[in-house]
Amino acid sequence: MHPSNTDPKLDIIFVPARTDTPIGSIVLLHGWGANHDDLGELVPYFNLPEYQFLFPNGLFDHEYSDDGKMWYSFTGAGQLTDLSRTQLATSREVLSEWIQSLPESTGIPLDRTWIAGFSQGGAMTLEIGLDLPVAGLIVMSGYLHPDRPKPQSVAPPVAIVHGTQDDVVPISAAHTSRDKLTAWGVEVQYQEFQMGHSIVPEVLDVIRTFVTK
């Protein structure tokens, strides 16, 4: 699908590298009810000056926030409805096609492109990234969709970071994601910290190491 005038379009914040020759791209996907400005504020703290950053906005307006966006809706119990699944399919298709077009628009190949996401953005990172030939995937306080099929080809390595005190996405979701990905043969780097549903400086250190190793 190629978005037309009636199709959803991605609103992107692009932050160029602080060097003349960037060596990689990092795509960051925000969580449910946030927007692309939310993670964009973290760029200086990643301390990755040779990398360019791209922050797409969720395709759908959040139900309970004037400024919030989402990749798909939840019910109160966090389950997917028919509408949720339709929205998820749309986000999956639009994000996947956009990421595959990045080498042409940025000059950075996919094998030097990382996809990262927080919370629902972490779920979308796994949803699309496991089937793309990117350098790696980073899941912060996220989860694997229960009906997400096994990748058809060799998946990129995955870093999972989660808080043991997370009361939004429980630590058990991280354990489930780790174990299922490992069973699929995916290379998984897993770390948990004494934190809630948040991003602490130690998480940024993990990301920096994962990208630059």
Side-chain angles (χ1 to χ4, degrees):
M1 181 185 74
H2 297 281
S4 66
N5 289 336
T6 58
D7 290 323
K9 292 184 176 65
L10 285 172
D11 176 22
I12 312 294
I13 291 178
F14 174 74
V15 181
R18 284 177 277 166
T19 59
D20 293 334
T21 54
I23 61 175
S25 295
I26 301 176
V27 174
L28 283 114
L29 307 178
H30 65 75
W32 187 70
N35 57 46
H36 55 11
D37 293 321
D38 186 47
L39 293 177
E41 297 175 354
L42 293 176
V43 169
Y45 303 100
F46 282 111
N47 194 23
L48 291 167
E50 296 178 299
Y51 293 78
Q52 56 191 16
F53 288 81
L54 299 101
F55 301 88
N57 226 7
L59 293 175
F60 302 100
D61 292 334
H62 191 256
E63 296 103 329
Y64 313 119
S65 170
D66 291 338
D67 299 323
K69 295 288 185 178
M70 60 185 182
W71 301 106
Y72 55 88
S73 62
F74 281 125
T75 66
Q79 301 299 312
L80 297 184
T81 63
D82 289 343
L83 173 60
S84 305
R85 294 180 187 281
T86 298
Q87 291 173 333
L88 171 57
T90 299
S91 290
R92 180 197 306 124
E93 193 164 16
V94 172
L95 275 174
S96 181
E97 287 206 356
W98 171 67
I99 288 173
Q100 291 179 82
S101 75
L102 287 180
E104 183 177 355
S105 62
T106 68
I108 302 296
L110 286 182
D111 62 7
R112 296 298 301 169
T113 299
W114 284 259
I115 308 174
F118 178 76
S119 195
Q120 190 184 70
M124 291 305 303
T125 294
L126 292 173
E127 182 71 23
I128 61 174
L130 288 172
D131 294 315
L132 295 176
V134 294
L137 310 177
I138 302 160
V139 181
M140 298 172 284
S141 304
Y143 51 95
L144 181 70
H145 293 129
D147 55 356
R148 208 286 179 199
K150 180 181 179 180
Q152 296 300 305
S153 57
V154 178
V158 177
I160 297 176
V161 186
H162 214 98
T164 57
Q165 301 163 7
D166 194 328
D167 59 358
V168 177
V169 179
I171 190 68
S172 60
H175 294 164
T176 299
S177 301
R178 175 197 61 194
D179 296 346
K180 193 167 187 178
L181 292 171
T182 300
W184 286 348
V186 179
E187 178 188 339
V188 178
Q189 173 185 317
Y190 179 86
Q191 286 187 258
E192 54 189 49
F193 295 99
Q194 293 293 319
M195 64 179 185
H197 197 64
S198 61
I199 300 175
V200 297
E202 290 82 1
V203 171
L204 302 182
D205 293 338
V206 170
I207 295 173
R208 187 181 310 110
T209 301
F210 184 72
V211 169
T212 59
K213 72 177 183 180

